[in-house]
Amino acid sequence: MGDQNELDDNTRRAVGEALRLCRERNKEVSNTVLAFLIRAVAVEEPAKYKLYTTQPSSLLTQVAQVCVDRAVVDNAPSLDTISMEVEVEREYIDQGKTLQQESTEKDDRANSLEFEITSTRHRAEMDDSEFFTSLYRKIFTYVASCAGIEAAFQSQEVEAETMAALESVFPKHGLRRFLSLGREDKAAQLKELTNIVQGIRVFNHSIGKGGLALEDPTGPFQSQANRLGLELQTMAQEVQADLDKYETVISYKSTLLRPSEDLLLRLRDEHNNRLAYLDLAHFLLEQVEKGISTVASLAEQYEDEKAAMQDTVGNKQSVPKEKVYPKLEAIGTLHGLLMQERRMLVVLRRVADVLAQYKSTFTPTITAKDLHEAQSNFKGTPPLLSDVGPAPHLNPKEAAEVQNAERLTWEEACVGEESLPQLRCGGFSSVSAVKRNGLLLRAVPEGGCVRWNGGLYGFVDANEAEAFAANPKEYMSCLDTVVVRMPELVRLLRLEESFPTLRMADIVEVVASPVTCDFGTQTPVHFIEKNIDRNYEWNEWALRRRVLALTNLRQKRTHSQQTELSHYRREQQTQVWLPKTSTTQTAVQKGTSMPQKKMYIQGLRGAPGVRMNVVNVDMDLGQPHEF
């Protein structure tokens, strides 16, 4: 357990470092894909990168660097294969967790209500009417919650109908007897009540006398499932046509080029990518068909129970509850199971949408000219690919193990009524993968089977079966070596047990929690403004004045009808802040001064010859402010 914790911790740390490196390269890569690549690097070089023990940050940085170099390559079919497999697995697990969380939350609410109801006791000092009313309301809440009748808390009509169904099965006067039961008996009776009440609503809906806000569990499922199944079949057929083209071109090119040529390696990766896409499409299609079969079986029982209930009730005024309640309970239970299948179909639809995103993620190498040239040279079915690798040498010490390898025909390998044998390596030929440098080919009946080490192995032809039977352990060892170089084949070949660190479900769980990384930032000296906000205000006091104005504006509202003219106004008049009354203070008071007139008599004194004369003088001394 300690080693596993160290592996998970080192993986998270390396993923955080890889995220930082990807951001520096301006690349967006999924956390899950990075985690898978990191573990693939560790599997490829286990002596150098020992993730099962505490490692320094420098070594994890090296792992992250190698991982990022592989993750940022554009137009890489092998990388797209890993991304497709990981993302589909992640979506499938996330949707499953969502279902589990919804179920857990529902069970928690039910358990809480159940504990509250079953632990309730009546005391002598309690008011009987109030106590029993409260208890009955709790029972109603439990039944509506467990049965999924959420509309009962939102619609008065649905609430009244559900309450009437509950009272018909469990009237209020039965609360005293209910309180006398033990806790386990109370819990069992509550679960039975839930299914019976839902069964009553379903039966009333079938006869057109109720069942408000009740969802039909069979009608939408059938159409939606058929549509999804048809889409997956179309996807599988299109990919199968592409695979036929790849096999034709690869068969032709392998006669002209050496196995190590880049073109053959590229075609191999594209071929394996389409195989992985087809395998995932078949997996989802199998899940959809399984759901359709399950719903068909449940729907048949569902309709039979409703028909039996109709026959039992008929036109009778009263029917013994011993005959009715079991049928109603069965109807309610089947309705709940059918609703679960509908929810599961939603999960498959979302996973299929994720898979559809990888329909064409790389540029195919095959051109129309290549395909025409290959088809022209191979009239009819193309020949089998020539071997491009040597056969493993038989170790004499393993002679005893070789004796355990048993050659079988395709029919002999089938068990019971199965039409296809349960083959190891995902149904692919392990010998072809070894000899043809990781190219996966489906086993065919003509190749026969080999039973070894408790499993069946299929092949492309009898020669491969014979070679494998002569040295099975060495071939499987060589296959592991191929998978180490091509980790995208782990899921296709079903080798999770041989490579537990590359199990995608575990990797998804490891990076389910947020991954952190250290990422530094540097502030430039001079910012280059590219987008200028004209409404930006740097002054804090100006912002304060704006806030006060808006706050004051919120208080300006009318108390009657709002019109376009009176919007944000009072009494349909514009409100303004009038300026304050102010005066000017001066040091001098202003006033008006008239000229003064003076009369003087001249010649009253002096020489005898001076004559007397009257003089009039106007004295203009000026205004007071001029002094």
Side-chain angles (χ1 to χ4, degrees), residues 154-179:
Q154 304 170 358
S155 172
Q156 295 181 355
E157 292 80 5
V158 179
E159 180 183 2
E161 179 187 357
T162 308
M163 181 66 76
L166 177 61
E167 290 178 348
S168 66
V169 181
F170 184 71
K172 291 183 180 180
H173 61 75
L175 288 174
R176 293 187 181 274
R177 179 181 175 277
F178 177 79
L179 291 175

Side-chain angles (χ1 to χ4, degrees), residues 325-464:
Y325 286 177
K327 292 181 174 57
L328 291 174
E329 184 180 2
I331 293 175
T333 303
L334 290 171
H335 184 273
L337 294 176
L338 289 170
M339 292 302 297
Q340 292 179 6
E341 292 296 330
R342 278 189 59 181
R343 185 65 182 85
M344 188 62 193
L345 181 63
V346 175
V347 172
L348 296 177
R349 159 54 65 185
R350 293 176 179 175
V351 178
D353 292 340
V354 174
L355 177 62
Q357 298 175 3
Y358 293 89
K359 183 177 180 180
S360 57
T361 54
F362 59 88
T363 304
T365 305
I366 294 181
T367 62
K369 179 180 178 181
D370 294 334
L371 183 61
H372 177 71
E373 184 178 0
Q375 291 175 345
S376 301
N377 287 274
F378 295 148
K379 301 297 183 179
T381 304
L384 294 175
L385 294 172
S386 58
D387 292 345
V388 297
H393 178 69
L394 179 62
N395 190 344
K397 295 182 180 180
E398 300 173 355
E401 296 183 3
V402 173
Q403 298 299 326
N404 297 329
E406 178 185 3
R407 292 283 304 276
L408 299 173
T409 63
W410 196 268
E411 292 75 13
E412 293 173 345
C414 296
V415 179
E417 298 180 357
E418 295 181 1
S419 59
L420 296 175
Q422 300 297 322
L423 301 177
R424 296 284 183 87
C425 298
F428 296 100
S429 172
S430 56
V431 177
S432 296
V434 172
K435 289 188 174 184
R436 297 179 176 106
N437 203 11
L439 180 66
L440 300 186
L441 297 176
R442 288 282 181 185
V444 296
E446 293 77 6
C449 300
V450 173
R451 188 190 304 276
W452 177 74
N453 200 18
L456 287 173
Y457 297 84
F459 308 96
V460 173
D461 56 22
N463 294 331
E464 288 189 354

Side-chain angles (χ1 to χ4, degrees), residues 56 64 109 195 296 323 506:
R109 291 196 303 268
N195 293 327
K323 295 183 179 179
D506 296 341

Side-chain angles (χ1 to χ4, degrees), residues 56 192 269 517 521 554:
E192 184 179 356
D269 291 340
C517 64
T521 59
R554 292 184 60 186

Side-chain angles (χ1 to χ4, degrees), residues 418-603:
E418 295 181 1
S419 59
L420 296 175
Q422 300 297 322
L423 301 177
R424 296 284 183 87
C425 298
F428 296 100
S429 172
S430 56
V431 177
S432 296
V434 172
K435 289 188 174 184
R436 297 179 176 106
N437 203 11
L439 180 66
L440 300 186
L441 297 176
R442 288 282 181 185
V444 296
E446 293 77 6
C449 300
V450 173
R451 188 190 304 276
W452 177 74
N453 200 18
L456 287 173
Y457 297 84
F459 308 96
V460 173
D461 56 22
N463 294 331
E464 288 189 354
E466 183 178 355
F468 183 84
N471 200 353
K473 187 173 182 179
E474 190 66 23
Y475 268 108
M476 295 306 297
S477 177
C478 293
L479 181 62
D480 291 344
T481 303
V482 172
V483 173
V484 166
R485 292 186 288 102
M486 304 173 63
E488 66 271 14
L489 303 183
V490 171
R491 186 188 179 280
L492 275 173
L493 294 173
R494 308 295 189 264
L495 294 178
E496 289 86 354
E497 294 183 0
S498 301
F499 299 92
T501 58
L502 297 181
R503 189 178 290 109
M504 294 185 179
D506 296 341
I507 295 176
V508 171
E509 292 294 335
V510 169
V511 296
S513 57
V515 179
T516 60
C517 64
D518 296 332
F519 197 82
T521 59
Q522 184 177 2
T523 304
V525 178
H526 300 288
F527 287 92
I528 300 176
E529 292 291 345
K530 295 182 179 180
N531 299 317
I532 300 177
D533 186 4
R534 302 296 180 182
N535 297 324
Y536 175 75
E537 178 60 61
W538 64 270
N539 193 328
E540 181 179 355
W541 293 101
L543 292 175
R544 179 177 175 83
R545 287 192 294 271
R546 185 184 302 177
V547 170
L548 291 176
L550 292 176
T551 304
N552 185 58
L553 184 62
R554 292 184 60 186
Q555 300 176 359
K556 302 301 185 291
R557 60 182 181 181
T558 59
H559 296 276
S560 59
Q561 182 179 4
Q562 289 280 353
T563 64
E564 182 178 358
L565 296 178
S566 67
H567 188 57
Y568 281 124
R569 297 179 181 179
R570 179 177 296 174
E571 298 179 357
Q572 302 182 2
Q573 294 181 359
T574 303
Q575 297 180 352
V576 298
W577 285 278
L578 297 177
K580 295 182 180 180
T581 303
S582 60
T583 58
T584 303
Q585 296 181 353
T586 61
V588 180
Q589 295 181 352
K590 296 181 179 180
T592 302
S593 178
M594 299 298 294
Q596 297 181 8
K597 294 183 178 183
K598 302 291 183 179
M599 295 179 62
Y600 295 94
I601 299 175
Q602 181 183 13

Side-chain angles (χ1 to χ4, degrees), residues 34 44 51 89 93 192 205 222 233 261 276 311 318 326 351 478 485 491 509 559 591 594:
L34 291 174
E44 186 175 354
L51 298 184
E89 184 74 19
I93 292 177
E192 184 179 356
H205 184 269
Q222 197 66 31
Q233 287 179 357
E261 291 286 343
D311 295 338
S318 62
V351 178
C478 293
R485 292 186 288 102
R491 186 188 179 280
E509 292 294 335
H559 296 276
M594 299 298 294

